[in-house]
Coordinates of all heavy atoms in Angstrom, one line a residue:
K1 N 5.1 -4.5 7.4 CA 5.9 -4.5 6.2 C 5.5 -5.5 5.2 O 5.0 -6.6 5.6 CB 7.4 -4.7 6.6 CG 8.0 -3.6 7.4 CD 9.5 -3.8 7.6 CE 10.1 -2.6 8.4 NZ 11.5 -2.8 8.5
S2 N 5.7 -5.3 3.9 CA 5.4 -6.2 2.9 C 6.4 -7.4 3.0 O 7.6 -7.2 3.4 CB 5.5 -5.6 1.5 OG 6.7 -5.0 1.2
D3 N 6.0 -8.6 2.6 CA 6.9 -9.7 2.6 C 7.8 -9.8 1.4 O 7.9 -8.8 0.6 CB 6.1 -11.0 2.7 CG 5.3 -11.4 1.5 OD1 5.5 -10.8 0.4 OD2 4.4 -12.3 1.6
H4 N 8.6 -10.8 1.3 CA 9.6 -11.0 0.2 C 9.0 -10.9 -1.2 O 9.6 -10.7 -2.2 CB 10.5 -12.2 0.4 CG 9.7 -13.5 0.2 ND1 8.9 -14.0 1.2 CD2 9.6 -14.4 -0.8 CE1 8.4 -15.1 0.8 NE2 8.8 -15.4 -0.4
N5 N 7.7 -11.2 -1.3 CA 7.0 -11.1 -2.6 C 6.2 -9.8 -2.8 O 5.5 -9.6 -3.8 CB 5.9 -12.2 -2.7 CG 6.6 -13.6 -2.8 OD1 7.5 -13.7 -3.6 ND2 6.1 -14.6 -2.1
G6 N 6.4 -8.9 -1.8 CA 5.8 -7.6 -1.9 C 4.3 -7.6 -1.4 O 3.6 -6.6 -1.5
Y7 N 3.9 -8.7 -0.8 CA 2.5 -8.8 -0.3 C 2.4 -8.3 1.1 O 3.3 -8.4 1.9 CB 2.0 -10.2 -0.4 CG 1.9 -10.7 -1.8 CD1 2.6 -11.9 -2.2 CD2 1.1 -10.1 -2.8 CE1 2.5 -12.4 -3.5 CE2 1.0 -10.6 -4.1 CZ 1.7 -11.7 -4.4 OH 1.6 -12.2 -5.7
F8 N 1.2 -7.9 1.4 CA 0.9 -7.5 2.8 C -0.7 -7.6 3.0 O -1.4 -7.7 2.0 CB 1.3 -6.1 3.2 CG 0.7 -5.0 2.3 CD1 -0.5 -4.4 2.7 CD2 1.3 -4.6 1.1 CE1 -1.0 -3.4 1.9 CE2 0.8 -3.6 0.4 CZ -0.4 -3.0 0.8
S9 N -1.1 -7.7 4.2 CA -2.5 -7.8 4.5 C -2.9 -6.8 5.6 O -2.1 -6.8 6.6 CB -2.9 -9.2 4.9 OG -4.3 -9.3 5.2
V10 N -3.9 -6.0 5.5 CA -4.4 -5.1 6.5 C -5.9 -5.2 6.6 O -6.6 -5.5 5.7 CB -3.9 -3.7 6.3 CG1 -2.4 -3.5 6.3 CG2 -4.5 -3.2 5.0
A11 N -6.4 -5.0 7.9 CA -7.8 -4.9 8.1 C -8.2 -3.4 8.1 O -7.5 -2.6 8.8 CB -8.1 -5.6 9.4
V12 N -9.2 -3.1 7.4 CA -9.6 -1.7 7.3 C -11.1 -1.6 7.8 O -11.9 -2.4 7.3 CB -9.5 -1.2 5.9 CG1 -10.0 0.3 5.8 CG2 -8.1 -1.2 5.4
N13 N -11.4 -0.7 8.7 CA -12.7 -0.5 9.2 C -13.2 0.9 8.7 O -12.6 1.9 9.1 CB -12.8 -0.5 10.7 CG -12.5 -2.0 11.2 OD1 -12.9 -2.9 10.5 ND2 -11.7 -2.1 12.2
G14 N -14.2 1.0 7.9 CA -14.7 2.3 7.4 C -13.8 2.9 6.4 O -12.8 2.3 5.9
M15 N -14.0 4.2 6.2 CA -13.2 5.0 5.3 C -11.9 5.5 6.0 O -12.0 6.1 7.1 CB -14.0 6.2 4.7 CG -13.2 7.0 3.7 SD -12.8 6.0 2.3 CE -13.6 7.0 1.0
T16 N -10.8 5.3 5.4 CA -9.5 5.7 6.0 C -8.5 5.9 4.9 O -8.8 5.7 3.7 CB -9.0 4.7 7.1 OG1 -7.9 5.3 7.8 CG2 -8.7 3.4 6.5
T17 N -7.3 6.1 5.3 CA -6.2 6.2 4.4 C -5.2 5.1 4.7 O -5.0 4.7 5.8 CB -5.4 7.6 4.4 OG1 -4.9 7.8 5.7 CG2 -6.4 8.7 4.0
M18 N -4.5 4.7 3.6 CA -3.4 3.7 3.7 C -2.2 4.3 3.1 O -2.3 4.8 1.9 CB -3.8 2.4 3.1 CG -2.7 1.4 3.1 SD -3.2 -0.3 2.5 CE -3.5 0.1 0.7
T19 N -1.1 4.4 3.8 CA 0.2 4.9 3.3 C 1.2 3.8 3.1 O 1.4 3.0 4.0 CB 0.7 6.0 4.2 OG1 -0.2 7.0 4.4 CG2 2.0 6.6 3.6
V20 N 1.7 3.7 1.9 CA 2.8 2.7 1.6 C 4.0 3.5 1.2 O 4.0 4.4 0.3 CB 2.3 1.8 0.4 CG1 3.4 0.8 0.1 CG2 1.0 1.2 0.7
S21 N 5.1 3.1 1.9 CA 6.4 3.8 1.6 C 7.5 2.8 1.6 O 7.5 1.8 2.2 CB 6.6 4.9 2.6 OG 6.7 4.4 3.9
H22 N 8.5 3.2 0.8 CA 9.8 2.4 0.7 C 10.9 3.3 0.2 O 10.7 4.0 -0.8 CB 9.6 1.2 -0.2 CG 10.8 0.3 -0.3 ND1 11.7 0.4 -1.3 CD2 11.2 -0.7 0.5 CE1 12.7 -0.5 -1.1 NE2 12.3 -1.2 0.0
K23 N 11.9 3.4 1.0 CA 13.0 4.3 0.7 C 12.5 5.7 0.4 O 11.8 6.3 1.3 CB 13.9 3.8 -0.4 CG 14.6 2.5 -0.1 CD 15.5 2.0 -1.2 CE 16.2 0.7 -0.7 NZ 17.0 0.2 -1.8
K24 N 12.7 6.3 -0.8 CA 12.2 7.6 -1.1 C 10.9 7.7 -1.8 O 10.5 8.7 -2.3 CB 13.3 8.4 -1.9 CG 14.6 8.6 -1.1 CD 15.6 9.4 -2.0 CE 16.9 9.6 -1.2 NZ 17.9 10.4 -2.0
S25 N 10.2 6.5 -1.9 CA 8.9 6.5 -2.6 C 7.8 6.3 -1.5 O 7.9 5.6 -0.5 CB 8.9 5.3 -3.5 OG 9.9 5.4 -4.4
K26 N 6.7 7.0 -1.8 CA 5.6 7.0 -0.9 C 4.3 7.3 -1.7 O 4.3 8.1 -2.6 CB 5.8 8.0 0.2 CG 4.7 8.2 1.2 CD 5.1 9.2 2.2 CE 4.0 9.5 3.2 NZ 4.4 10.5 4.2
T27 N 3.2 6.5 -1.3 CA 1.9 6.8 -1.9 C 0.9 6.6 -0.8 O 1.0 5.8 0.0 CB 1.6 5.9 -3.1 OG1 0.5 6.4 -3.8 CG2 1.5 4.5 -2.8
T28 N -0.2 7.4 -0.9 CA -1.3 7.4 0.0 C -2.6 7.1 -0.7 O -2.8 7.8 -1.7 CB -1.4 8.7 0.9 OG1 -0.2 8.8 1.6 CG2 -2.5 8.6 1.9
L29 N -3.4 6.2 -0.3 CA -4.6 5.8 -0.9 C -5.8 6.0 0.1 O -5.6 5.8 1.3 CB -4.6 4.3 -1.3 CG -3.4 3.8 -2.1 CD1 -3.4 2.3 -2.0 CD2 -3.6 4.2 -3.5
N30 N -6.9 6.4 -0.5 CA -8.1 6.4 0.3 C -8.7 5.0 0.2 O -8.9 4.5 -0.9 CB -9.1 7.4 -0.2 CG -8.7 8.8 0.1 OD1 -8.1 9.1 1.2 ND2 -8.9 9.7 -0.8
V31 N -9.0 4.3 1.3 CA -9.5 3.0 1.3 C -10.8 2.9 2.1 O -11.0 3.6 3.0 CB -8.5 1.9 1.8 CG1 -7.3 1.9 0.8 CG2 -8.0 2.3 3.2
N32 N -11.6 1.9 1.8 CA -12.9 1.7 2.5 C -13.1 0.2 2.6 O -13.7 -0.4 1.6 CB -14.0 2.4 1.8 CG -15.3 2.3 2.5 OD1 -15.3 1.9 3.7 ND2 -16.4 2.6 1.9
E33 N -12.8 -0.4 3.6 CA -13.0 -1.9 3.9 C -12.7 -2.7 2.7 O -13.6 -3.5 2.2 CB -14.4 -2.1 4.4 CG -14.7 -1.3 5.7 CD -16.1 -1.5 6.2 OE1 -16.8 -2.4 5.7 OE2 -16.5 -0.8 7.1
L34 N -11.5 -2.7 2.2 CA -11.1 -3.5 1.1 C -11.1 -5.0 1.5 O -10.6 -5.3 2.6 CB -9.7 -3.1 0.6 CG -9.5 -1.7 0.1 CD1 -8.1 -1.4 -0.2 CD2 -10.3 -1.6 -1.2
T35 N -11.6 -5.8 0.7 CA -11.7 -7.2 1.0 C -11.0 -8.0 -0.1 O -10.9 -9.2 -0.1 CB -13.1 -7.7 1.1 OG1 -13.8 -7.4 -0.2 CG2 -13.8 -7.1 2.2
G36 N -10.4 -7.4 -1.1 CA -9.7 -8.0 -2.2 C -8.3 -7.6 -2.3 O -7.7 -7.0 -1.4
F37 N -7.7 -7.8 -3.5 CA -6.3 -7.5 -3.7 C -6.3 -6.1 -4.4 O -7.1 -5.7 -5.2 CB -5.7 -8.5 -4.7 CG -5.4 -9.8 -4.0 CD1 -6.3 -10.8 -4.2 CD2 -4.3 -10.0 -3.2 CE1 -6.2 -12.1 -3.6 CE2 -4.1 -11.2 -2.6 CZ -5.0 -12.3 -2.8
V38 N -5.3 -5.3 -4.0 CA -5.1 -4.0 -4.6 C -3.6 -3.9 -5.0 O -2.7 -4.3 -4.2 CB -5.4 -2.9 -3.6 CG1 -5.0 -1.5 -4.1 CG2 -6.8 -2.9 -3.2
D39 N -3.3 -3.5 -6.2 CA -1.9 -3.2 -6.6 C -1.6 -1.8 -6.2 O -2.3 -0.9 -6.5 CB -1.8 -3.4 -8.1 CG -1.7 -4.8 -8.6 OD1 -1.4 -5.7 -7.8 OD2 -2.1 -5.1 -9.7
V40 N -0.5 -1.7 -5.5 CA 0.0 -0.4 -5.1 C 1.3 -0.2 -5.9 O 2.2 -1.0 -5.8 CB 0.3 -0.3 -3.6 CG1 0.8 1.1 -3.2 CG2 -1.0 -0.6 -2.8
V41 N 1.4 0.9 -6.6 CA 2.6 1.2 -7.4 C 3.4 2.3 -6.7 O 2.9 3.4 -6.4 CB 2.2 1.7 -8.8 CG1 3.5 2.0 -9.6 CG2 1.4 0.6 -9.5
L42 N 4.6 2.0 -6.4 CA 5.5 3.0 -5.8 C 6.5 3.4 -6.9 O 7.2 2.6 -7.5 CB 6.3 2.3 -4.6 CG 5.6 1.9 -3.4 CD1 6.5 1.2 -2.4 CD2 5.0 3.2 -2.7
M43 N 6.5 4.7 -7.1 CA 7.3 5.2 -8.2 C 8.4 6.0 -7.5 O 8.2 6.9 -6.7 CB 6.5 6.1 -9.1 CG 7.3 6.6 -10.3 SD 8.0 5.2 -11.3 CE 6.6 4.4 -11.9
P44 N 9.7 5.7 -7.9 CA 10.8 6.5 -7.3 C 10.7 8.0 -7.7 O 10.1 8.3 -8.7 CB 12.1 5.9 -7.9 CG 11.6 4.6 -8.5 CD 10.2 4.7 -8.8
T45 N 11.4 8.8 -7.0 CA 11.4 10.2 -7.4 C 12.1 10.3 -8.7 O 12.8 9.4 -9.1 CB 12.2 11.1 -6.3 OG1 13.6 10.6 -6.3 CG2 11.6 11.0 -4.9
E46 N 11.9 11.4 -9.4 CA 12.5 11.6 -10.7 C 14.0 11.5 -10.6 O 14.6 10.8 -11.5 CB 12.2 13.0 -11.3 CG 12.8 13.3 -12.6 CD 12.5 14.7 -13.1 OE1 11.8 15.4 -12.5 OE2 13.1 15.0 -14.2

């Protein structure tokens, strides 16, 4: 889970997917051994 500032850290090996969800919002990204920061935008349903 993301912390109180919305941050999280994961280790990724090779090409994979990362899913981020909160309440009714969800997004899936293709990732490949990220070593930096990535902004993930969760947009509520309409």
Side-chain angles (χ1 to χ4, degrees):
K1 290 188 177 183
S2 60
D3 68 13
H4 66 283
N5 291 315
Y7 295 121
F8 61 91
S9 177
V10 295
V12 176
N13 295 320
M15 183 63 124
T16 188
T17 60
M18 178 173 64
T19 302
V20 181
S21 61
H22 185 262
K23 295 183 181 178
K24 295 182 179 181
S25 300
K26 179 178 175 180
T27 190
T28 301
L29 308 162
N30 291 319
V31 293
N32 185 14
E33 298 181 14
L34 296 173
T35 57
F37 292 96
V38 175
D39 285 333
V40 178
V41 177
L42 292 173
M43 188 56 63
T45 63
E46 179 184 354

